[in-house]
Amino acid sequence: MLIAQLTDLHVTARGARAFGEVDTNDALARAVAHVAALPRRPDLVVVTGDVVNGPQPGEYAMAAELLAGLGLPLLVIPGNHDDREELRTALRPLDPGLPDGPYLHRMMDTGPLRILALDTVVPGRPEGALDAPRLAWIADRLAEAPHERPLLVLMHHPPFVSGIGHMDRMNCAGADALAGLLRGRTVAGLLCGHVHRPIAAHWRGIPCFCGPATAHLVALDLEPESPARWTREPPAVALHLWDDAHGLRTHLSFIGDFPPARFPW
Ligand SMILES: [Fe+2]
């Protein structure tokens, strides 16, 4: 199966720019058109958080309008810029599996995978957390899940340390407890966002991938005291290919006009 990952969309109200600079809505429109035109149609599109930039009025309506262009099954988890209630209300028509309750987390089967979609949001805070109630929910869901079915974990905040200092100070508290719960399970991979860069990591025995943002990226400053800086590096969509025989393979598909040409042989 093929899963396309969009992350950190940071949609604004119509006509506005994120922090007055970045036309994130145009960037998402390009990303959506890119996914919709892929030669192989994804079975599922996952959005790993930060759907909007505010939250400000009009942002979620704009996000819903843009994401409707995918015409594909959609699974959304929230990021630190999101408002759970507004996200649920606006995006349920596109993602009917968005749950009721205090957290937007869920477990669902898709193709050969069992997706564990986590809500790491701490309202009003940039960092994320898996606290006792959420860890208990995960433990209960895992108890229901057959061991042989590979798990694909989704969460906005990375559980690993990226090396980009200012982002690592706002990753996910409680992640080690998640690793403990996943020990002994077949985990296909863990997909996240938040850092606004493509990052492959191996964390507690689990292959992890942080997707690049659809709009602005975070500068690649691999220093503990790196300043918070952003760049206009080319945005991309992550394409995760899975089959039981070969496992998870992740490709980056850069958003832009790059027509392929035949080799001369
Ligand atoms: Fe973000």
Side-chain angles (χ1 to χ4, degrees):
M1 74 177 303
L2 183 64
I3 298 175
Q5 181 190 7
L6 305 177
T7 195
D8 295 273
L9 319 178
H10 288 264
V11 167
T12 61
R14 193 183 304 277
R17 289 174 178 251
F19 48 92
E21 293 271 0
V22 184
D23 190 345
T24 49
N25 297 351
D26 180 63
L28 178 56
R30 290 171 190 270
V32 165
H34 184 81
V35 171
L38 286 169
R40 176 168 167 177
R41 188 173 169 81
D43 301 288
L44 175 69
V45 178
V46 298
V47 175
T48 44
D50 283 359
V51 174
V52 302
N53 193 56
Q56 296 287 329
E59 291 181 333
Y60 282 103
M62 190 75 240
E65 182 180 318
L66 290 166
L67 289 169
L70 287 167
L72 291 164
L74 188 66
L75 189 158
V76 183
I77 58 171
N80 50 293
H81 283 257
D82 287 309
D83 177 280
R84 291 187 182 110
E85 196 55 51
E86 290 192 38
L87 188 159
R88 176 163 41 211
T89 302
L91 297 187
R92 231 182 204 164
L94 300 174
D95 178 4
L98 275 166
D100 290 317
Y103 302 109
L104 297 181
H105 53 196
R106 68 186 114 162
M107 189 167 71
M108 59 169 264
D109 290 347
T110 179
L113 296 173
R114 176 156 289 196
I115 292 184
L116 186 60
L118 302 180
D119 176 342
T120 55
V121 171
V122 180
R125 300 293 309 165
E127 68 272 16
L130 290 172
D131 48 19
R134 283 179 267 200
L135 290 165
W137 178 90
I138 294 167
D140 288 347
R141 298 293 79 70
L142 291 175
E144 298 167 0
H147 271 249
E148 64 277 10
R149 198 175 181 91
L151 288 163
L152 183 67
V153 182
L154 309 180
M155 54 198 286
H156 178 68
H157 296 84
F160 56 84
V161 172
S162 70
I164 301 174
H166 67 95
M167 296 305 296
D168 289 335
R169 284 190 281 282
M170 46 174 164
N171 67 358
C172 188
D176 279 341
L178 171 66
L181 293 174
L182 294 173
R183 196 166 295 129
R185 308 295 300 228
T186 304
V187 182
L190 184 154
L191 311 181
C192 57
H194 189 53
V195 188
H196 289 229
R197 292 209 65 82
I199 304 165
H202 202 252
W203 169 77
R204 309 287 189 262
I206 296 171
C208 300
F209 187 77
C210 175
T214 50
H216 51 293
L217 270 63
V218 163
L220 183 54
D221 291 320
L222 296 175
E223 299 293 341
E225 299 304 324
S226 57
R229 301 192 303 168
W230 64 279
T231 78
R232 294 188 190 272
E233 289 171 80
V237 173
L239 298 176
H240 306 284
L241 188 62
W242 170 270
D243 63 64
D244 289 339
H246 303 100
L248 188 72
R249 285 134 298 153
T250 295
H251 297 262
L252 279 186
S253 184
F254 292 94
I255 299 165
D257 190 19
F258 310 115
R262 281 208 178 267
F263 287 108
W265 53 82

